[in-house]
Amino acid sequence: MMQRRDARRRPPRPPRTVRRAGRVGPAARRLRGLVTATARRFGLPIAFVLAGFLGGLGYAVFAPTTYTATAYVLVVDAGKGQSGPAAVSFAQAFGRLAPLPETLAYSSLPLPDGESGSTREHIQASTSPDTPLIKLAGSGRTARDAAAYANAAADALVRYGTSHRSDTGVRVALMTLAEPPAEPSSPNLPLGLAVGTASGILLAGLAAAVMSGRRGRAGRRERGHVPSAAGAGALEEKIAGPVPTGRVEVGS
């Protein structure tokens, strides 16, 4: 009798934790629905922002390192030894001539070897409209090369101005030599991330504006505010009136 009763017994039910393992609570369903709706509505703008951020990060990580060093020269009147309107005008002219190979040939300091590109890519001159000061910025893959470019340009400009002193009436004097910088000028990680993220936000804003306009037009069309092409044609025909057909008899 005991064996028959044991055989008729139902198999034991699984624990409640096992039976409810596949169920999803209402809070989880609401969260999943919120995530799905957000991704469907803002998925493209979020993708643009993420792409811009990753682009800025990639540039900051993989871009070649560049150092920048700066030297300064001053243009003064040869006779008075002061800066006047003529000195300011010649400073503008000397600033445009500084990166040229013809001007750099006057330098007694050698340019770095092995750098690719023209001298215009490694030497940049900038002037002020109010003062006869010339800023010579040298850039290179190493700090020593950057300082060598800036100092060679400054030395060349001083010698060039001295050779043409009798013609110009001004003198070019060296103010400060360039020192090798301690840190590279680029790539800049915060700046790269900021520029990339800002570009992504701009594209995301444009995409959101286009999508919002499309949704607005679709909603108005569904509510009947925007007539379809067939409805617009019928409305024009109603306003214009029926087109007269048939023959027109002309009385004699």
Side-chain angles (χ1 to χ4, degrees):
M1 293 295 295
M2 293 298 296
Q3 294 179 356
R4 293 181 180 179
R5 289 180 180 179
D6 294 341
R8 292 178 182 178
R9 287 181 183 179
R10 296 180 179 179
R13 295 182 178 181
R16 292 184 178 181
T17 56
V18 176
R19 289 190 297 108
R20 295 183 180 180
R23 296 184 180 181
V24 179
R29 287 196 298 268
R30 287 195 298 268
L31 180 60
R32 186 172 59 184
L34 179 62
V35 172
T36 303
T38 303
R40 187 175 301 172
R41 185 172 182 180
F42 302 103
L44 186 60
I46 293 175
F48 277 124
V49 175
L50 183 60
F53 176 82
L54 294 178
L57 179 62
Y59 174 79
V61 172
F62 297 105
T65 304
T66 303
Y67 291 84
T68 303
T70 306
Y72 294 91
V73 297
L74 184 66
V75 180
V76 296
D77 290 336
K80 300 178 181 179
Q82 298 177 356
S83 59
V88 175
S89 299
F90 277 108
Q92 303 288 332
F94 286 147
R96 290 190 290 269
L97 296 174
L100 298 180
E102 294 81 1
T103 307
L104 293 174
Y106 284 82
S107 177
S108 61
L109 302 177
L111 293 172
D113 297 330
E115 286 283 355
S116 60
S118 62
T119 55
R120 286 183 176 272
E121 298 179 3
H122 298 285
I123 299 175
Q124 299 292 330
S126 58
T127 58
S128 173
D130 301 324
T131 58
L133 186 66
I134 304 174
K135 176 184 176 182
L136 300 169
S139 60
R141 295 296 178 86
T142 64
R144 190 177 299 275
D145 289 346
Y149 272 114
N151 292 331
D155 183 70
L157 204 56
V158 170
R159 292 179 178 273
Y160 179 84
T162 303
S163 63
H164 293 80
R165 181 175 179 178
S166 59
D167 301 328
T168 60
V170 295
R171 180 172 56 90
V172 182
L174 178 64
M175 286 195 65
T176 58
L177 287 173
E179 295 292 338
E183 297 180 356
S185 57
S186 66
N188 190 335
L189 180 60
L191 181 61
L193 292 178
V195 172
T197 305
S199 302
I201 291 174
L202 178 60
L203 294 176
L206 294 176
V210 172
M211 293 172 62
S212 177
R214 290 181 178 178
R215 286 195 298 267
R217 287 193 297 269
R220 289 193 297 270
R221 188 177 294 108
E222 291 178 358
R223 293 192 298 268
H225 293 175
V226 179
S228 60
L235 181 61
E236 292 178 357
E237 183 178 356
K238 183 178 181 180
I239 295 174
V243 179
T245 59
R247 296 180 300 174
V248 178
E249 298 181 358
V250 181
S252 56

